[in-house]
Structure formats: structure tokens, C-alpha cells
Amino acid sequence: MAVSGALLRQCPLLLPQNREGTAYEGFVTAQGREFHIRILLPLDFQLKNARIECSWHLKKILHGYQHILKQRLHRCPDLVSFMVELKTVLETALKNTQDLHIPWPPEYYSCLVREIEILGWNKVTYVDTGLTTIKLKAEDSCGRRHLITLKLNAKYPTEPPVCLVDFPVHFTVSWTPQSSLLDIYNQFLAALESLKEFWDAMDEIDEKTWVLEPENPTRSATTRRIAIGNNVSVNIEVDPQHPSMLPECYFLGADHAANPLRTKLNNNMHLWDPEISLLQNLKDLLDVDFPSRAVLEKSDFAKDCGICYAYRLNGATPDQVCDEPRCGQPFHQACLYEWLQGLPSSRHSFNVIFGECPYCNKVRKAKESK
């Protein structure tokens, strides 16, 4: 397969351990050194739910980079892309680890303390004893609180610190040897304001609708799965750089509930008005009132899977619903596929399997998890 070939070229020492391609083990190489690693993917191949196991030595080197690696897992489309990102982060971590063995000049500390005093200690939420990791806080114009983590090395300010932020877009710092913490902070504030409209839109959705996923959205999360009714929800992906434009929409639920909404969206998308809020646009185009948080509880929509009797399975929630209006039982895709596979009467067509719903005997179909 193309992905397997690309992975082999990128990480020739990382090999699949099963036919499904959900387990990989081997070595990742950086700066001529090899580090043992094991990657376990869920059945739906969603990287955000992957588990990474590594040697204690690699874990020690990557300590302090967990946040950025988690961001990369959420944003990378496939394993190949993530391995490229992992090697980049590992190169940086190794470089900074080597720098720790270099005696840091006294000028480094006096320069940094002076810069913090100019910036203001009231903006500092954390600083380690070695003055190598600093966390700064800021509020945007809407009063939302944000953090930026700076990891410095002995070559500062000749080299910029590594900046870690909870942003939906890549944050890069414009830097010269004459730059300072104040310059980073001002660029951080400017970036916050550039994302104001995006966060306004997402906050309105979080406050006025029932969001099924993600359960606790971070500031970098660009997707929301919004409950519309018992058997239907809409998953939207918002462009953080153009949040007033029509987002990508994907409806989840029984066909009799989801199909009319798809039709309304297709027929009305020309009515999208960038001058009004994203949520109001969705209401107008779909001609729905999203269930109110003041009237209903999340449990009214977050129904357990009818097969495993759990709501979350490896991070996934039930996104398959029986099309029979009188049934409407939700299932995890992986559970439904496994159930249908076990039926003697089921039949296959490529990667789709057909069989009877375990509750009402209506014919159901399920795609093999990728």
C-alpha cells in the first residue's frame, strides 16, 4: 500500500506487527541514534486515540514535549505525517538535551532575569529552578486566558526558545539575536487577537449547544459534534483562519433523520451569511433549533452503544444508528462491524458488511474500520 511504502521510506526500522496495521514496533532514528518505540492505533485509525510506548531513555528525552506531541497526534492525517513530526521534535529534544551538558554562562541568567523584569513577573505563572522553562499567561480581548510555554537553551538569545501554545494553527516567532521575551509576548498577543473570531464562534457553540465530541475541547480543537436530536448529530470542522465561512459538515445518525438535514444544507448553503454568527447560520440553513443546555441533559443524547453497553470505546463514541425509526439504537462502528461479522446470514461487499440489527432485525450495514 502507498501509506506502508511511505512509512517504510520514512522509518525503515518501524514495522507492522499485525495484518490490520494497528500495531507497529521498531526503532525511530534521529541524529544517528536509534530509539525503541511501539505505536498502537485504534481500529478506526484515529491518531488522536493512538497509544505510544517507548523506552525509558526516549521517554526521558521527550519529557516536556508531551503537549506538542499530543497536538501533532490530533492534527496529523496519518501515521507517516506523525512520524515526520515525531522525528522533528526528537531532533529538537536531543539538541536541547545536549545543551544541558554545556555550562551555561552567567550572562544567560542575568539577561533572562532582566528580560522577565521588563516583561513583568505578574505575567509569569511558572519558571523552573534552572530558568530553562518559563510559562507566561495572557488574556485576549474577550477575557479568555491563555498560556505560552517557552523552553530555552544555553544559546539564548542567539537562538529563539521553543514555544508551545494551545493554538489551532502553527505559531512561529519572528526572531533575531536582539529579540527578547517581550517580543515573544507581543507576538503571542497578536496571534491571540488573530484567532479571536474563531474562538468566539467555538465558545458560542460550546455554551449554547450540547457538544458530544470532543468531551473537553482544547483551544486547538477545530471540530465539534453537535447534538440535533436523539438519533442525529452534525460534526463540523471550522477553518480557524476563516471561521465565518461555511464549515465542513458531516451528519451522523439514522438515515431518516440525517438525510433531510443533508438535503437542507445542500439546498440552502447559498444563503450562508458571513456577517452573522456560525451557529446562527447553521440554525438557518438546517432549519433547526439545537437542543438547549438549559432544558435537556447531555445524557439525553449521549446514548451507550447497544452492543458493548459503553459510551466511549478507545476514545470513540457511538456514531452508527439503526435506520428503523422505532428502534434508533446507536452503536460504535467497530462494535457493529464485529457483530455483523459473527452473523451466519451476513454478507460482504468489498469492505462493507450487511446483516441484521441486534435489536429490531432491520438490515444494517457497516464499513470495516480503517
Side-chain angles (χ1 to χ4, degrees), residues 144 198-208 219:
R144 287 179 287 250
F198 167 74
W199 283 322
D200 285 346
M202 304 309 266
D203 282 354
E204 184 183 19
I205 290 171
D206 292 338
E207 292 166 8
K208 296 182 179 179
R219 287 295 176 195

Side-chain angles (χ1 to χ4, degrees), residues 145-173:
R145 296 183 178 182
H146 305 269
L147 289 176
I148 179 170
T149 300
L150 310 177
K151 293 187 174 292
L152 302 93
N153 60 51
K155 296 179 181 178
Y156 179 88
T158 303
E159 293 184 1
V162 174
C163 301
L164 306 177
V165 293
D166 188 13
F167 280 5
V169 295
H170 188 57
F171 176 65
T172 56
V173 174

Side-chain angles (χ1 to χ4, degrees), residues 42-44 46 48-49 74 206 210-218 221 223-227 233 235 252 298-299 301-320 329-335:
L43 292 175
D44 60 3
Q46 293 292 313
K48 63 182 180 181
N49 299 320
H74 277 257
D206 292 338
W210 277 117
V211 174
L212 303 180
E213 295 181 275
E215 198 166 24
N216 297 298
T218 61
T223 62
R224 295 290 190 275
R225 181 181 167 197
I226 309 170
S233 59
N235 192 82
L252 299 162
K298 187 174 182 177
S299 57
F301 309 102
K303 303 295 185 182
D304 292 343
C305 171
I307 295 173
C308 73
Y309 303 110
Y311 183 61
R312 292 196 176 273
L313 177 67
N314 296 327
T317 58
D319 59 1
Q320 304 293 310
Q329 178 64 49
F331 307 100
H332 294 114
Q333 180 176 331
C335 292

Side-chain angles (χ1 to χ4, degrees), residues 15-305:
L15 302 175
Q17 301 298 301
N18 58 14
R19 294 178 60 185
E20 294 79 14
T22 58
Y24 290 83
E25 187 167 4
F27 297 87
V28 59
T29 306
Q31 292 192 5
R33 299 165 63 183
E34 295 174 359
F35 301 91
H36 183 259
I37 190 170
R38 188 166 185 247
I39 299 176
L40 302 175
L41 302 173
L43 292 175
D44 60 3
F45 288 77
Q46 293 292 313
L47 283 180
K48 63 182 180 181
N49 299 320
R51 192 165 85 244
I52 300 175
E53 302 173 353
C54 57
S55 63
W56 69 267
H57 184 52
L58 178 57
K59 188 177 295 186
K60 184 177 179 181
I61 292 172
L62 292 174
H63 179 71
Y65 292 83
Q66 295 96 326
H67 178 72
I68 195 169
L69 285 175
K70 189 174 181 180
Q71 279 188 338
R72 298 298 186 264
L73 274 174
H74 277 257
R75 294 176 59 183
C76 288
D78 51 48
L79 183 58
V80 178
S81 302
F82 173 70
M83 292 308 298
V84 173
E85 297 278 5
L86 174 61
K87 291 176 74 172
T88 301
V89 172
L90 182 54
E91 292 277 354
T92 302
L94 284 170
K95 180 170 169 294
N96 290 338
T97 302
Q98 292 168 358
D99 289 340
L100 292 176
H101 303 295
I102 303 173
W104 290 27
E107 297 80 15
Y108 166 86
Y109 299 102
S110 58
C111 172
L112 198 56
V113 170
R114 185 167 59 251
E115 288 188 15
I116 294 176
E117 289 176 344
I118 293 172
L119 176 64
W121 283 98
N122 62 319
K123 297 181 176 66
V124 178
T125 62
Y126 170 83
V127 58
D128 67 349
T129 54
L131 291 182
T132 59
T133 300
I134 301 173
K135 293 184 180 182
L136 305 175
K137 63 181 178 180
E139 285 190 2
D140 59 28
S141 58
C142 291
R144 287 179 287 250
R145 296 183 178 182
H146 305 269
L147 289 176
I148 179 170
T149 300
L150 310 177
K151 293 187 174 292
L152 302 93
N153 60 51
K155 296 179 181 178
Y156 179 88
T158 303
E159 293 184 1
V162 174
C163 301
L164 306 177
V165 293
D166 188 13
F167 280 5
V169 295
H170 188 57
F171 176 65
T172 56
V173 174
S174 177
W175 188 262
T176 69
Q178 291 73 43
S179 298
S180 66
L181 294 183
L182 183 60
D183 295 310
I184 293 179
Y185 193 77
N186 288 334
Q187 293 178 54
F188 180 52
L189 291 177
L192 292 179
E193 290 312 301
S194 72
L195 291 165
K196 173 185 177 301
E197 190 179 347
F198 167 74
W199 283 322
D200 285 346
M202 304 309 266
D203 282 354
E204 184 183 19
I205 290 171
D206 292 338
E207 292 166 8
K208 296 182 179 179
T209 71
W210 277 117
V211 174
L212 303 180
E213 295 181 275
E215 198 166 24
N216 297 298
T218 61
R219 287 295 176 195
S220 60
T222 58
T223 62
R224 295 290 190 275
R225 181 181 167 197
I226 309 170
I228 298 177
N230 286 333
N231 294 330
V232 65
S233 59
V234 60
N235 192 82
I236 66 169
E237 173 134 16
V238 182
D239 183 345
Q241 295 177 320
H242 303 94
S244 63
M245 304 307 292
L246 176 66
E248 290 187 28
C249 298
Y250 177 67
F251 294 96
L252 299 162
D255 287 345
H256 71 271
N259 286 341
L261 292 169
R262 294 189 186 100
T263 301
K264 286 180 182 178
L265 180 65
N266 291 333
N267 292 341
N268 297 333
M269 63 173 56
H270 67 282
L271 299 175
W272 185 273
D273 183 358
E275 298 300 319
I276 63 177
S277 75
L278 188 151
L279 181 59
Q280 188 59 51
N281 266 309
L282 288 175
K283 289 180 179 179
D284 294 343
L285 267 63
L286 300 178
D287 191 25
V288 297
D289 283 321
F290 290 102
S292 169
R293 297 175 67 92
V295 177
L296 298 169
E297 297 294 328
K298 187 174 182 177
S299 57
D300 293 326
F301 309 102
K303 303 295 185 182
D304 292 343
C305 171

